Amino acid sequence: SAETLVGRLATGIGQGEHFTRLDWARAQFIGRLGIDPYPGTVNMIVDDPNSMPVWVRIKRTPGIRIDNPGDGPHDCDARCYPVTVAGRIDGAIVVPEIDNYPSAQVEIIADISVRAALGIEDGDPVQIVLKRQRSG
C-alpha cells in the first residue's frame, strides 16, 4: 500500500523561501527531483495518529540527498522524498538535517503554489502520498 501522510497546513518559520531560492539548492531540486521549486515550502503538521509512525519510518530511509556546498552555521544538507500532494500535485518533502527539527513538521516543495492550487489555508487538512522511489 502507498505510504500516506495526513496532516494540517501550518505556517512555517519562513526559512523555506530563502532555501528554495538558493542557486545550488534549486539546481539540485531540478536535477535530482525534476522540480523547479515555487518560492517557499508548504508546511504541514502531522497530527494523524496513523500517519506519525509512517513519517518516522520514512525519515529513517536515505531519500534523495541535497548537498549543501557550504559549512556555515546555517548551512545544512537535506533529504528529499518525492510525493503527490492531494492526489494531483507533484512535489517533494524536504527534511533539513538539523538538530531539534520539529518531529511532526513536514515541509513540501512543488513547482507551483500548493496553497493557491488547492485553495487551502492554515489548519486545513492535507494528504500526501509517497511516490515509489526508483532504485538504482
Side-chain angles (χ1 to χ4, degrees):
S1 65
E3 294 184 287
T4 302
L5 296 175
V6 177
R8 293 191 178 279
L9 206 64
T11 298
I13 47 178
Q15 289 180 349
E17 182 159 358
H18 168 70
F19 189 64
T20 52
R21 288 174 184 265
L22 295 171
D23 288 342
W24 62 264
R26 187 169 162 240
Q28 292 185 49
F29 287 139
I30 294 169
R32 298 179 186 181
L33 296 165
I35 294 172
D36 184 355
Y38 180 86
T41 57
V42 179
N43 276 265
M44 182 178 104
I45 301 299
V46 177
D47 61 357
D48 170 57
N50 297 321
S51 293
M52 205 60 206
V54 175
W55 179 222
V56 169
R57 195 165 66 240
I58 290 169
K59 285 189 288 188
R60 287 196 189 119
T61 65
I64 296 168
R65 290 200 66 78
I66 301 295
D67 300 305
N68 190 311
D71 58 357
H74 301 293
D75 293 325
C76 70
D77 293 338
R79 283 169 293 144
C80 296
Y81 303 94
V83 295
T84 303
V85 182
R88 57 198 183 98
I89 298 172
D90 290 325
I93 298 171
V94 180
V95 182
E97 300 196 327
I98 55 175
D99 292 334
N100 305 321
Y101 188 72
S103 62
Q105 180 168 295
V106 178
E107 287 188 75
I108 302 156
I109 58 166
D111 53 17
I112 58 173
S113 167
V114 172
R115 284 173 184 261
L118 299 177
I120 54 177
E121 298 171 11
D122 284 2
D124 288 347
V126 190
Q127 183 183 53
I128 58 178
V129 178
L130 210 71
K131 291 184 183 177
R132 284 268 161 257
Q133 297 203 19
R134 303 185 207 71
S135 47

